């Protein structure tokens, strides 16, 4: 499986994501600079976490204006899989590949801890290695992870089973509506999530629960 | 002769923090009245913060060498060899005064400054920690300061992308008017690619990199070299504003630039900004420096030479570059959208010359600016040791269990989760042992090696007995690192004290240094970097002596480490080291009896070494399942922490003639608690006996309760409730003082 990780200034989990991809797929991803015109032909484009441009403005707002965005949108429209984590999720909502927005955490503080996630839809290309309703552990680390969308959008997401991950067992760390932790687009090729599965993929991390996403992708590509 | 734009009056000299005899020294040195810009430069170079004029004499006595030490004190950070061509680069530095005045930005820029110190040496930062000390929880400013400092540390470190993996938080009324924010950072570099600040070659371009210069932070270092009074709020403009995004760009650009081979010397602009960095690079290389301030990228218009030389704007670097690589270097910085400007050159005449609008604004001897700074052998008096504590005077509590719950839920002993959950402690994907254990452990990337980190000091011991307190700070740090399974390598120290012009305060400083030196020598734990923060006083009230020790250890095999959590049911629990029931200066005596009395516990460095080496060998041979050092609060607190961390209870027995509260809460040093499968317990007892290591059985793990035969029975849930409750409840309480 070939993959690419987009690097914006201020991003800081691009190495974590690249390492997880390499660990599971056996191939190191291309690291693509935000100011490039084109992303190489790959099976997966990953948009990593961090603080693009410092996120001094609305999270992801400036990254959305990057030169690479045009090609990212084009490839997503063509059906290339796109995976946004944390700041990456925020960027994907900012450029309209996913609906809704990530607001400031309800308690107004940055939060880094391990939460429980329910795999609310295991029939996606990103989650088929998990079982439906499986509860997994996963770390979060964000200041603006409070998922919000208007009532109609939420209803549509729920009706179409596009909420893929939900905070479980009372561990919602940010006040997200319906405990939403990750959603997928209508075509099923763009997934965004706030938690960091890339930080729980080897024994040294204290668990392997995050591997399922990368294994699912590998499975559906190969 | 340079014309004086402003008359230098005694008042102006005093405002610059210079004493009359120090000003006379300047006159003697340059043979004329300094210009205002020059006066500013002297005040920046000769203040306590930059010159170490009160502490230098004593710092020289610390052991700084060891077989693994590649760079000791004197550079931006210390460098220690960890094998395989790699080195750990680390330092700790205070940002106390600014954090009290403006908690968020003060703490944030403290983190920024220490990260810069580390990557200036060519190392990518891999871990950060913070030693924080706040006033009494009931003091009107404390909640505001805690909230701002923690948010500031998180705000900077999280965005920059360094995991904040550990630290300390304490509360005490002595910090009511002066909080302490000591920031630690460590990074990784190749041993053959360490960058230093010594300029080389005449006529080489001096290049300014990073963010633009503004008017923030002017006189920051001078502020940090004086006491506070009621008007300290007015010093808010001296606090700098942090830009973690700018720092992240600077990190990436610097590391990329260093890889091109263009860099001859590099120095970050920290305290006293452009002045300190330029003088240091020139003086170390026996070269003069000429700066044309018109070339310096500025954020604001109309800045004077004086303002530019004293600005402490953040995220800036000064470098000496190979002229033939200048274009390549500039391209790297343009790629990262950072300023790049040639602002001067090195010269062969050992003068520090500054031009603004074509006029010469300063012309000073560069070596003397640093070397001829005043140095004081300040008078000091030895701290009188407190009277011995009569154990009979400390009555047994009615309910041992209630005491345990009270201590576990007290401000100093409760869980720090509220703090470290605001820090990204996982970014970079190498965090092996997360906050809350004895030492944090971080993997050395792409290897099976790890580094252990811990920050420690017990200020109440240092107050009672500076020498023992200094020793204890080093010993506890060494123990925490040992308890993770690591080999302790070296330390950085952050020495926080009151006004050194008072002989009693100077006596505390001298005593602590003696203790630290002795312990570092005995434990082969050299000091490779550090920072001194004096004048932590407000209206004459000094902080407790607080020499924080930041230690680093090496784990050769991450498969063989230990954490504090109980791992299984039915395992034997032992304490290694002697339990003598020392209650002097203990948490028990202070928080239960309301007394700050008695001597600090004695630190037997020989026993520390023997017991620690024994514990490490047990971890490395995978014989023990959990390990925890015994410190504040004694055995029962340590056991409760192990039980809560593992979610497994224990049935304890006290084989002792001591009163149970002294046995349970005494703070004797050189102790560890270990657990081991029952099958291995007999061999452990034999080995301990053979090697003369004191070993006492404490009971067995299991169940959902902590019990001590007939004395207490507490459920894990109740323990956790007490332990986790205080911090969030305190921070959520409405502010009574606006």
């Amino acid at each position: 499986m070939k993959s690419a990780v987009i690097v914006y200034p201020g991003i800081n989990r691009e190495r974590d994501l690249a390492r997880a991809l390499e660990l599971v797929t056996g191939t190191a991803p291309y690291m693509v600079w935000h100011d490039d015109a084109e992303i190489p032909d790959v099976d997966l484009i990953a948009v990593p976490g961090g603080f693009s441009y410092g996120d001094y403005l609305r999270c992801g707002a400036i990254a959305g204006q990057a030169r690479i965005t045009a090609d990212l949108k084009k490839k997503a429209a063509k059906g290339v899989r796109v995976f946004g984590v944390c700041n990456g999720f925020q960027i994907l909502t900012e450029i309209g590949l996913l609906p809704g927005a990530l607001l400031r955490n309800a308690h107004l503080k940055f939060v880094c801890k391990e939460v429980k996630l329910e795999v609310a839809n295991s029939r996606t290309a990103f989650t088929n290695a998990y079982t439906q309703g499986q509860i997994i552990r996963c770390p979060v680390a964000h200041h603006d992870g409070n998922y919000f969308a208007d009532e109609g959008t939420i209803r549509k997401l729920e009706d179409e089973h596009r909420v893929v991950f939900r905070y479980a067992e009372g561990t919602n760390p940010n006040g997200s509506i319906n405990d939403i932790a990750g959603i997928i687009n209508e075509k099923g090729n763009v997934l965004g999530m706030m938690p960091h599965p890339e930080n729980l993929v080897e024994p040294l991390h204290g668990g392997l629960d995050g591997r399922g996403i990368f294994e699912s992708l590998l499975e559906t590509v190969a | 002769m340079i014309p004086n734009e402003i008359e230098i009056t005694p008042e102006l000299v005093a405002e610059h923090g210079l004493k009359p005899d120090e000003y006379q020294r300047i006159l003697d040195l340059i043979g004329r009245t300094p210009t205002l810009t020059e006066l500013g430069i002297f005040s920046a170079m000769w203040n306590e913060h930059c010159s170490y004029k009160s502490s230098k004499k004593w710092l020289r006595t610390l052991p700084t060498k060891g077989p693994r030490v590649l760079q000791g004190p004197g550079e931006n950070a210390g460098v220690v060899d960890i094998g395989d061509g790699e080195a750990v680069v680390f330092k700790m530095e205070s940002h106390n005064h600014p954090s009290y005045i403006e908690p968020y930005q003060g703490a944030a820029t403290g983190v920024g400054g220490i990260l810069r110190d580390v990557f200036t040496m060519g190392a990518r930062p891999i871990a950060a920690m913070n030693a924080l000390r706040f006033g009494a929880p009931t003091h009107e400013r404390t909640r505001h300061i805690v909230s701002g400092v923690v948010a500031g540390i998180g705000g900077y470190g999280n965005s920059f992308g360094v995991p904040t993996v550990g630290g300390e938080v304490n509360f005490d009324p002595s910090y009511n008017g002066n909080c302490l924010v000591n920031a630690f950072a460590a990074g990784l570099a190749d041993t053959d690619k360490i960058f230093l600040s010594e300029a080389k070659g005449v006529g080489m371009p001096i290049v300014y990199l990073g963010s633009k210069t503004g008017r923030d932070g002017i006189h920051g270092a001078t502020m940090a070299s004086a006491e506070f009074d009621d008007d300290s709020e007015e010093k808010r403009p001296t606090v700098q504003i942090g830009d973690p995004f700018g720092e992240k760009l600077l990190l990436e650009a610097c590391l990329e630039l260093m890889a091109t081979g263009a860099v001859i010397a590099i120095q970050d602009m920290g305290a006293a900004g452009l002045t300190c960095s330029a003088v240091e690079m020139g003086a170390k290389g026996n070269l003069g420096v000429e700066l044309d301030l018109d070339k310096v990228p500025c954020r604001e218009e109309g800045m004077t030479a004086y303002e530019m030389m004293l600005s402490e704007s953040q995220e800036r670097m000064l470098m000496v570059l190979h002229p033939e690589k200048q274009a390549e270097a500039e391209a790297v910085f343009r790629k990262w959208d950072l300023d790049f400007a040639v602002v001067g050159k090195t010269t062969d005449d050992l003068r520090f010359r500054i031009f603004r609008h074509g006029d010469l604004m300063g012309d000073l001897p560069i070596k003397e600016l640093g070397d001829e700074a005043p140095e004081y052998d300040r008078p000091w008096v030895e701290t009188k040791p407190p009277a011995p504590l009569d154990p009979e005077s400390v009555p047994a509590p009615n309910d041992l269990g209630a005491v345990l719950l009270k201590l576990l839920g007290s401000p100093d002993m409760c869980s720090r989760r509220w703090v470290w959950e605001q820090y990204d402690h996982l970014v970079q994907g190498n965090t092996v042992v997360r906050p809350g254990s004895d030492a944090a452990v971080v993997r050395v990337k792409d290897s099976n090696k790890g580094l252990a980190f811990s920050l420690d000091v017990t200020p109440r011991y240092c107050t009672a007995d500076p020498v023992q307190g200094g020793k204890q700070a080093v010993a506890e740090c060494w123990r925490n690192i040992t308890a993770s399974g690591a080999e302790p390598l070296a330390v950085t120290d952050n020495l926080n004290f009151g006004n050194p012009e008072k002989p009693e305060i100077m006596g505390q400083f001298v005593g602590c240094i003696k203790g630290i030196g002795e312990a570092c020598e005995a434990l082969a734990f050299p000091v490779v970097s550090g920072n001194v923060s004096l004048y932590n006083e407000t209206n004459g009230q000094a902080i407790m002596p607080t020499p924080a020790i930041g230690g680093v250890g090496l784990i050769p095999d991450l498969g063989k480490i230990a954490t504090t959590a109980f791992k299984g049911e039915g395992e034997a629990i032992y304490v290694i080291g002697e339990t003598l029931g020392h209650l002097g200066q203990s948490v028990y005596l202070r928080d239960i009896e309301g007394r700050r009395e008695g001597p600090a516990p004695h630190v037997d460095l020989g026993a520390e070494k023997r017991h620690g080496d024994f514990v490490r060998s047990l971890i490395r041979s995978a014989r023990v399942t959990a390990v925890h050092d015994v410190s504040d609060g004694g055995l029962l607190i340590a056991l409760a922490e192990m039980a809560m961390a593992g979610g497994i209870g224990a049935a304890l027995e006290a084989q002792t003639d001591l009163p149970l509260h002294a046995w349970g809460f005494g703070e004797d040093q050189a102790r560890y608690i270990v657990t081991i499968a029952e099958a291995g317990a007999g061999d452990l007892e034999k080995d301990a006996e053979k090697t003369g290591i004191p070993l006492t059985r404490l009971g067995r793990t299991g169940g959902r309760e902590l019990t001590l035969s007939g004395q207490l029975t507490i459920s894990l849930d109740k323990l956790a409730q007490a332990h986790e409750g205080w911090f969030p409840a305190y921070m959520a309480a409405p502010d009574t003082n606006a």
Side-chain angles (χ1 to χ4, degrees), chain A residues 13 15-16 56 112 202 205, chain B residues 124 243 421 424 428-429:
Chain A
R13 262 184 170 83
R15 288 179 182 82
D16 306 34
Y56 294 136
C112 178
E202 46 183 326
H205 290 155
Chain B
R124 181 176 284 278
D243 171 12
E421 280 191 348
D424 190 339
Q428 298 188 13

Side-chain angles (χ1 to χ4, degrees), chain B residues 8-72:
Chain B
I8 307 297
T9 61
E11 292 75 34
L12 199 57
V13 171
E15 271 171 36
H16 281 78
L18 291 160
K19 303 267 152 75
D21 55 327
E22 292 175 339
Y23 182 62
Q24 186 57 48
R25 205 180 167 93
I26 293 172
L27 295 179
D28 295 346
L29 197 63
I30 63 174
R32 60 177 166 81
T33 307
T35 65
L36 180 65
T37 305
E38 289 174 331
L39 185 69
I41 289 171
F42 273 107
S43 101
M45 293 298 297
W46 285 13
N47 64 56
E48 188 67 53
H49 185 85
C50 292
S51 73
Y52 293 87
K53 59 191 170 190
S54 302
S55 58
K56 235 193 255 175
K57 171 187 159 77
W58 298 99
L59 295 176
R60 285 194 202 102
T61 66
L62 291 171
T64 58
K65 294 194 163 59
R68 286 182 180 272
V69 177
L70 301 178
Q71 176 67 56

Side-chain angles (χ1 to χ4, degrees), chain A residues 172-208:
Chain A
N172 183 341
N174 52 36
S176 285
I177 293 180
N178 290 7
D179 294 326
I180 290 173
I183 56 170
I184 200 161
N185 66 343
E186 279 177 58
K187 274 168 66 181
N189 70 317
V190 179
L191 177 94
M193 67 190 293
M194 283 314 293
H196 289 284
E198 75 274 25
N199 282 147
L200 203 64
V201 293
E202 46 183 326
L204 186 129
H205 290 155
L208 304 175

Side-chain angles (χ1 to χ4, degrees), chain B residues 400-637:
Chain B
L400 206 63
V403 167
L404 177 59
L405 285 175
K406 182 173 178 194
L407 290 181
L408 277 177
S410 66
D412 262 4
M413 302 302 299
C414 72
S415 164
R416 270 63 183 119
R417 184 183 302 276
W418 184 91
V419 176
W420 52 255
E421 280 191 348
Q422 294 185 57
Y423 303 153
D424 190 339
H425 47 268
L426 299 173
V427 65
Q428 298 188 13
N430 290 314
T431 306
V432 182
V433 178
R434 301 176 189 182
S437 204
D438 278 339
V441 176
V442 172
R443 168 175 60 189
V444 176
K445 73 174 168 58
D446 304 326
S447 81
N448 194 37
K449 289 194 300 188
L451 291 168
F453 301 102
S454 185
L455 290 186
D456 300 279
V457 61
T458 313
R460 56 183 196 281
Y461 297 168
C462 298
T463 306
D465 184 337
V467 179
Q468 290 300 327
K471 274 195 224 177
Q472 195 274 341
V474 175
E476 187 177 341
C477 184
W478 190 87
R479 274 203 306 270
N480 278 325
I481 286 170
T482 294
S484 74
E487 170 201 350
L489 292 178
V491 303
T492 179
D493 57 8
N494 201 148
L495 310 168
N496 310 277
F497 292 81
N499 180 349
E501 294 161 44
K502 298 178 182 169
E504 315 78 62
I505 300 285
M506 200 57 208
Q508 293 176 338
F509 182 80
V510 172
C512 284
I513 290 273
K514 281 184 180 170
I516 291 169
E518 238 177 89
C520 288
E521 192 75 56
L523 298 171
F525 207 24
V527 180
V528 296
S529 58
N531 165 248
V532 181
S533 172
L534 302 174
Y535 297 96
N536 291 288
E537 294 201 9
T538 296
N539 293 331
Q541 175 65 47
I543 59 160
M544 288 199 281
T546 312
I549 301 294
V552 177
L554 177 64
I555 296 170
D557 175 2
L558 280 171
K560 288 173 182 139
I561 60 170
T563 59
T564 59
F566 284 155
K567 302 296 184 305
E569 304 255 339
E571 297 191 331
I573 309 170
Y574 287 92
V575 58
I576 287 165
E578 276 189 295
T579 300
L580 302 169
H582 185 99
L583 286 175
Q585 300 300 334
S586 65
V587 167
Y588 179 89
L589 194 66
R590 186 191 65 187
D591 291 354
I592 302 299
E593 292 287 315
R595 294 158 63 185
R596 295 173 182 252
E597 295 171 25
H602 177 71
V603 180
D604 176 345
L605 294 167
E608 291 285 358
K609 180 92 171 64
R610 283 192 307 278
H611 301 175
D613 289 347
F614 183 68
V615 167
R616 198 176 313 106
S617 74
L618 293 175
I619 298 170
R620 294 202 173 169
S621 54
R623 291 171 70 188
V624 286
T625 49
V627 180
H628 192 5
D629 119 279
V630 182
S631 51
D632 274 350
L635 280 182
L636 281 175
I637 292 286

Side-chain angles (χ1 to χ4, degrees), chain A residues 11-30:
Chain A
I11 282 291
N12 62 31
R13 262 184 170 83
E14 75 278 18
R15 288 179 182 82
D16 306 34
L17 198 51
R19 188 183 161 85
L21 282 165
E22 185 172 358
L23 206 65
V24 178
T25 69
T27 313
Y30 297 101

